[in-house]
Amino acid sequence: MSRPGRRTTWVGLCAVAAAAGLAGIVGSAVGAGAAHAVLPTGASHPALRTIDAPVLPGTALDRRMKAAQAERAMHRDHHHHDFGVWQANPDAAATWADFSKLEGVEWSIQHQDITVEVWVEGGVPRIAGEATVTVRAEVEGITELAFRSEPLEGVDVQAVDGVALTWGYDNAFGGQAGRLLLERAEPLPVGQNVDFRMAWQAKLDCDDGSSLLKPCSFGNTFQAVMFFRYFVQRWDTLHSPFTSVLHVLTPPDRAAAAPGIPTGPQSVPDGRIVWHFTQNERTSNAGFSIAPYDLTGDGLGAEAVKDKHALRVYTVGNFKSRADGFLELVEDAVATYGDWYGAFPWPQLNVIQTFDGLGGGYAPLGGVFMLRDIFGAQPGGQGWRGAVELTAHEVAHQWWGNLARPWTNGDVALSESMAEFTSCLYTEKRLSSRSQLLGNNLSYAWTVDADHDRPVGANNVYSSPAYVKIVYHKGAVVLDMLRHQIGEESLLAGIANYASAFDRDYATISDLRLAIEEVVGEPLGWFFDQWFERKGMIRAELSASVTPLPESGGARWALRVAQLSEQPFRFKLPVRFEFASGEPMSMDLEVLPPDDGFVSVVSVDLPAAPIRARVDGTRVLLRRFTGLNPGDVNLDGLVDGADLVELAFRNGRAIAVDYGGGQYFVPNAGYDELYDVDANLRILPDDADRIIEFAGASSPIFDAP
Amino acid sequence: MLSPRSQLCFVLVALTLSVGAWGCTQDSIAVGPLSATAPTTEDAGGSGAADTAQVPSSGWTVDVQTPPADGSPRLYLRHALDGQDLLVQVVIDGVDDLVGIAAHLRYDHNALELVESDGDASFLDSLTYRSKLLLHSAPDGRVLLGAARLLPEPPLGGPVAGAKAIEDATWATLRFRARAQPDASTGDAVEIGFDPEHLLARVSTYDRVQLAVGRLLVTPPAPGAPAAAEAP
């Protein structure tokens, strides 16, 4: 069956009928006595167009998107294979299949002891570092070691074990990276740690990217380094985690904050002080911030690490008055996620206020950096919802991205989609609102250009301009749909199973699926295939019919679902029926596309004809629906006064607004495209006029089971 | 020479002067308070039982069943006779905070022909809200009725306010005429009433209002029955 041909035929019949003045009767092709309204002119599916408009500035979605873009920039080194890694060693992926196999590779970086200092010289921020890098070989004959770094100056390398060492350093990839090559006169001893020392300097470009997305900052209050990798990694592998101790030199009136167990400060002879951060977990995410910090929560030092994790909040100035609120928020999030996914995995969590230009948040292992202004919010006050959403997302990264880590670019959903879903679930529970999830849903459904769309699990998803909308927004909604599909308890248990199985390991999206399947005991390949391996979402034309059942006195409600996507989706459709009298009924109807087509019909016998059928009323599904019988907004099979009544309650709900001379997208959770009869992205009195115009139109008769 | 419509207006005006007040315009069926010849008598006992009355005249027999006027929300019918025709008004009463209302009025389209219909949803108007009226005659003996209030330039979101204290507001006026039924047994009563499965009234909280409904049982005149006497 050809979909376009069938639609054309239907519209053609309507046009002929209208031309002949037979507004009430179409003809035998659709059943005697049936009437069908002509679709709005202008386009065959006007409701399916994408809004070509940016997000309304200053809205919660706008702030979340900027934060996500900042986070994306933070991870670019891990998720952009710009350095020709795979060309250099295409077999590397096979040997780095998971964390547990890291010890089995030829050699690895075990530990780095790094001292850094920052300053401004001639208006240019600079950083200098000294590091003792510990490596270990697992096989015989390793004499050459290649490392990747940021572009460096003044590099010097010395052997520690007395074995003669030659080395060379050059900038690679147009100056975007540095490559350090070491050659030893003797092979590394197998199974033994060997140190070498390196020293370097570098210029910091804090104006990389947009003005909101700064990798570093050297202001009056904060001096922070987020994106610059002040450590080396193996040149030819995707992942190169190591334990570390970071020492940060600061003026005596400042403090440093970073992930890890904090100790210090100690004085150094030149009057500065040095702070120490011990990271006993293998990771390659890091960052530090220097400011006149106040510390709230557990104190410094190893003695602060008791049987449970230590929790610290670093703030400056008057923001200290808000620190207790953030401490409680983080404690609650950690405890909640512990119930859902398994105990918090690290000995400490340091929540660090840093420069506003960060744009959002960044969560390395055991730490969370967030922009300054977030810390001005307090419970119940302005901005608190945004603070909760961002904090919840960043804390969730302690599990997603740091505990269980994405293996490839195509698995970034295991970090960002999981963190965003966790944040949405948390705000749903704690703030009793699905607005975060609904905003994500509408954002993807209405503003992703087809040319920019990618599957969530695509290896090239990172390169799409719509990356945030695909991975964060769609990804979170996909996980929520999985919750709807299998139940919340099963989903959380399945995710906890995954977290346990990939504790301190690298995983793929397939690993997540298998872990969940293990718990629920049913195959979920169909779900993961259609939502992670394909782009797009559910797009369907709906039409309903109601047939009396004289024997029972009830009625059969049938819904015809004609999917318009390139490939049809399988989904569980929530429906709620209201009747003129009696209690409403809610149920889920499984929509299974036929093997060879795009049209499904689902039906249910009801105690009476419904006065309203609300499909997906809470927008669980990632979808765009259009009504095949426009005006029948309540899907009771007939355009009548009840549709007018329902529209009155949605008057004004719009996802496109005119503001400051432009048109902007706003994720209005009250918007439902089925009520937008003239499909102009706004529900207005004009739509009521269309209902009145189409009054009496009933759905085309279709074969109902 | 008066046009037929003008003549009708004259008759109605004459009737109005003698029996009550129905307004009349050149272009529409008038609406207004009910004629005293077709009473909807109040039952002060508030038993909930419909009140009935039979009005035999001009060949029509109309059995009126109306919910009691005890202040509870109700949707009922008034009627008047005009020559060969039966005029029926749909009336809303006792509803507070109404945002929208919908109903299907059913009648036996084999016995009755709906020749004209007119509606008015202005009972939902206010300084800021404007009413929308849906009135559609379906071919199967059903009149689709709808009324709702909307702000002409609404905000993106926010609550909806309902209309206050609707009392005896006429929503629609319908003119029925008896069909000639050579093979049908005359004298059978047919109902003009509301389909209970298609009755909906919502207030500003989105809650539904339960409406007590009335109906008419009418026996159309036999073919050739004399028209109603003209008012002096």
Side-chain angles (χ1 to χ4, degrees):
Chain A
M1 177 175 69
S2 168
R3 288 182 295 124
R6 184 172 175 180
R7 278 207 299 282
T8 301
T9 300
W10 176 249
V11 172
L13 277 174
C14 285
V16 167
L22 303 172
I25 300 172
V26 175
S28 60
V30 292
H36 178 69
V38 177
L39 288 171
T41 57
S44 58
H45 296 287
L48 299 183
R49 74 174 188 273
T50 299
I51 296 178
D52 184 19
V55 177
L56 187 65
T59 57
L61 182 66
D62 179 53
R63 288 192 295 271
R64 281 213 311 281
M65 288 195 61
K66 288 185 167 71
Q69 285 160 1
E71 207 174 32
R72 172 192 181 184
M74 176 65 66
H75 295 309
R76 71 180 192 279
D77 284 350
H78 285 268
H79 299 290
H80 272 176
H81 292 283
D82 294 338
F83 308 116
V85 169
W86 300 116
Q87 288 97 357
N89 185 355
D91 294 329
T95 60
W96 288 74
D98 57 51
F99 204 88
S100 63
K101 292 182 184 170
L102 290 181
E103 303 301 336
V105 300
E106 302 162 335
W107 67 273
S108 62
I109 301 173
Q110 293 292 304
H111 181 81
Q112 298 193 43
D113 191 296
I114 311 166
T115 301
V116 293
E117 61 175 318
V118 294
W119 73 98
V120 178
E121 185 176 303
V124 177
R126 298 190 66 86
I127 182 170
E130 293 181 358
T132 301
V133 182
T134 304
V135 299
R136 188 170 76 196
E138 307 300 331
V139 300
E140 302 273 359
I142 301 294
T143 57
E144 293 182 353
L145 306 173
F147 298 91
R148 184 173 80 237
S149 74
E150 297 282 353
L152 302 176
E153 304 166 358
V155 177
D156 183 42
V157 182
Q158 294 181 2
V160 172
D161 63 352
V163 174
L165 179 70
T166 58
W167 59 272
Y169 176 85
D170 60 352
N171 286 333
F173 301 104
Q176 290 185 41
R179 180 172 54 185
L180 175 68
L181 297 173
L182 306 187
E183 186 169 0
R184 287 167 52 91
E186 298 172 12
L188 289 171
V190 174
Q192 294 182 32
N193 289 345
V194 172
D195 293 342
F196 66 92
R197 288 203 188 92
M198 64 178 297
W200 48 265
Q201 287 194 23
K203 193 167 57 175
L204 289 168
D205 184 2
C206 294
D207 289 319
D208 178 21
S210 78
S211 61
L212 279 179
L213 306 175
K214 288 191 167 186
C216 53
S217 178
F218 283 77
N220 290 333
T221 305
F222 299 101
Q223 294 82 46
V225 176
M226 292 292 112
F227 301 168
F228 182 89
R229 298 290 190 245
Y230 43 82
F231 44 83
V232 294
Q233 294 180 276
R234 249 191 81 157
W235 171 260
D236 56 352
T237 57
L238 183 53
H239 303 289
S240 183
F242 48 87
T243 60
S244 65
V245 179
L246 174 67
H247 314 276
V248 182
L249 286 159
T250 73
D253 60 344
R254 294 295 169 115
I261 301 170
T263 54
Q266 290 171 310
S267 298
V268 294
D270 62 6
R272 290 180 297 173
I273 54 179
V274 59
W275 306 79
H276 316 287
F277 300 91
T278 302
Q279 180 63 275
N280 291 326
E281 296 284 347
R282 300 182 71 171
T283 181
S284 55
N285 284 329
F288 63 89
S289 181
I290 298 169
Y293 282 119
D294 296 306
L295 181 59
T296 304
D298 292 310
L300 301 179
E303 62 269 21
V305 179
K306 308 177 187 67
D307 292 336
K308 74 171 188 66
H309 60 276
L311 192 53
R312 303 179 185 90
V313 176
Y314 292 78
T315 53
V316 300
N318 293 337
F319 290 99
K320 181 168 174 60
S321 65
R322 304 282 197 256
D324 283 333
F326 275 86
L327 202 64
E328 283 184 29
L329 170 60
V330 173
E331 278 180 340
D332 186 65
V334 167
T336 302
Y337 301 166
D339 289 339
W340 293 350
Y341 306 135
F344 183 75
W346 319 124
Q348 92 295 320
L349 182 60
N350 300 337
V351 179
I352 304 165
Q353 181 186 29
T354 191
F355 61 104
D356 256 347
L358 178 65
Y362 166 51
L365 193 153
V368 169
F369 295 92
M370 292 192 292
L371 75 167
R372 185 197 69 176
D373 282 354
I374 277 285
F375 288 82
Q378 57 182 342
Q382 188 178 7
W384 182 245
R385 173 180 291 277
V388 172
E389 290 176 357
L390 180 64
T391 304
H393 179 103
E394 301 304 335
V395 172
H397 271 312
Q398 300 307 311
W399 282 261
W400 315 129
N402 285 301
L403 178 69
R405 313 173 188 197
W407 174 225
T408 69
N409 283 358
D411 302 304
V412 66
L414 297 178
S415 175
E416 299 301 352
S417 306
M418 294 281 278
E420 181 63 11
F421 168 70
T422 299
S423 174
C424 288
L425 189 62
Y426 182 81
T427 58
E428 180 181 312
K429 305 289 187 188
R430 288 293 179 267
L431 303 180
S432 301
S433 168
R434 282 176 55 85
S435 65
Q436 184 179 354
L437 207 43
L438 289 170
N440 288 344
N441 189 315
L442 290 166
S443 166
Y444 175 83
W446 290 92
T447 69
V448 172
D449 190 273
D451 290 339
H452 297 154
D453 200 9
R454 309 269 192 280
V456 176
N459 268 327
N460 66 349
V461 69
Y462 213 87
S463 65
S464 167
Y467 163 78
V468 171
K469 295 175 185 179
I470 296 169
V471 174
Y472 288 67
H473 299 172
K474 178 180 179 179
V477 174
V478 165
L479 292 165
D480 190 57
M481 284 195 288
L482 185 57
R483 172 171 69 141
H484 174 63
Q485 186 70 35
I486 65 176
E488 179 174 302
E489 193 177 327
S490 293
L491 176 67
L492 293 180
I495 293 177
N497 188 32
Y498 159 76
S500 173
F502 290 88
D503 183 335
R504 298 164 174 82
D505 206 343
Y506 297 92
T508 65
I509 292 175
S510 292
D511 292 324
L512 174 65
R513 170 180 62 83
L514 291 169
I516 297 173
E517 284 180 345
E518 197 173 57
V519 167
V520 302
E522 65 177 82
L524 294 171
W526 66 269
F527 183 92
F528 277 76
D529 284 348
Q530 72 179 23
W531 289 117
F532 286 96
E533 301 304 318
R534 283 165 39 193
K535 54 186 179 180
M537 61 180 162
I538 301 165
R539 293 173 181 253
E541 281 182 338
L542 306 182
S543 59
S545 76
V546 176
T547 308
L549 298 174
E551 286 187 7
S552 66
R556 175 166 296 162
W557 181 83
L559 184 73
R560 180 180 182 272
V561 181
Q563 296 201 46
L564 308 172
S565 323
E566 287 183 9
Q567 288 176 266
F569 286 80
R570 169 182 165 182
F571 55 94
K572 193 188 289 188
L573 179 69
V575 188
R576 186 172 190 270
F577 297 101
E578 265 188 271
F579 307 95
S581 62
E583 292 299 310
M585 293 173 59
S586 296
M587 61 189 68
D588 293 324
L589 301 177
E590 194 84 20
V591 177
L592 299 171
D595 292 337
D596 59 350
F598 295 79
V599 180
S600 313
V601 176
V602 292
S603 67
V604 58
D605 291 349
L606 301 170
I611 202 156
R612 177 183 177 218
R614 183 94 194 270
V615 295
D616 193 24
T618 56
R619 200 174 282 274
V620 171
L621 301 173
L622 192 58
R623 49 80 170 178
R624 278 208 207 161
F625 291 148
T626 53
L628 186 59
N629 186 19
D632 181 22
V633 300
N634 64 4
L635 291 176
D636 69 349
L638 179 68
V639 182
D640 62 0
D643 299 293
L644 185 64
V645 173
E646 295 304 324
L647 187 126
F649 286 89
R650 285 158 186 81
N651 187 33
R653 309 299 196 255
I655 54 173
V657 295
D658 297 321
Y659 176 80
Q663 179 177 258
Y664 290 89
F665 165 76
V666 57
N668 189 335
Y671 176 81
D672 187 332
E673 61 269 26
L674 280 172
Y675 291 77
D676 185 8
V677 184
D678 60 6
N680 67 351
L681 311 173
R682 298 161 171 85
I683 301 172
L684 293 172
D686 288 349
D687 296 296
D689 292 336
R690 303 310 287 270
I691 290 174
I692 293 167
E693 180 187 343
F694 297 146
S698 59
S699 294
I701 293 175
F702 49 85
D703 291 332
Chain B
M1 177 75 168
L2 288 176
S3 68
R5 180 171 288 282
S6 297
Q7 289 174 353
L8 170 61
C9 279
F10 174 78
V11 168
L12 287 174
V13 167
L15 281 173
T16 298
L17 289 174
S18 62
V19 298
W22 272 32
C24 177
T25 69
Q26 284 278 1
D27 298 320
S28 65
I29 298 177
V31 295
L34 180 64
S35 159
T37 61
T40 50
T41 55
E42 278 73 37
D43 179 0
S47 65
D51 297 313
T52 67
Q54 291 193 351
V55 184
S57 66
S58 73
W60 290 88
T61 301
V62 181
D63 199 336
V64 182
Q65 298 179 3
T66 302
D70 58 3
S72 299
R74 56 179 187 153
L75 185 65
Y76 67 94
L77 302 172
R78 287 192 295 234
H79 80 284
L81 302 170
D82 174 37
Q84 300 277 8
D85 297 341
L86 177 69
L87 300 174
V88 176
Q89 284 184 325
V90 180
V91 184
I92 303 169
D93 180 52
V95 184
D96 190 35
D97 195 29
L98 184 67
V99 172
I101 184 169
H104 289 195
L105 187 69
R106 294 183 299 192
Y107 62 94
D108 186 340
H109 66 289
N110 292 315
L112 303 173
E113 179 187 5
L114 179 65
V115 296
E116 202 168 350
S117 59
D118 193 21
D120 181 7
S122 60
F123 52 87
L124 294 175
D125 286 340
S126 71
L127 284 176
T128 49
Y129 281 86
R130 296 291 176 268
S131 60
K132 293 285 186 184
L133 171 72
L134 185 148
L135 178 60
H136 176 83
S137 173
D140 57 348
R142 191 175 288 260
V143 180
L144 310 183
L145 294 159
R149 61 182 351 219
L150 292 85
L151 290 171
E153 293 182 4
L156 274 182
V160 178
K164 300 304 177 189
I166 296 171
E167 294 179 0
D168 275 336
T170 302
W171 185 6
T173 302
L174 312 165
R175 175 184 291 272
F176 292 96
R177 192 167 293 167
R179 289 187 187 274
Q181 300 179 77
D183 59 343
S185 56
T186 57
D188 292 340
V190 295
E191 178 182 330
I192 301 175
F194 299 99
D195 182 349
E197 288 191 338
H198 292 277
L199 201 55
L200 176 68
R202 291 200 191 272
V203 295
S204 63
T205 57
Y206 198 67
D207 291 326
R208 292 208 309 263
V209 175
Q210 293 302 317
L211 295 163
V213 297
R215 65 174 184 164
L216 303 178
L217 292 174
V218 303
T219 305
E230 290 186 69

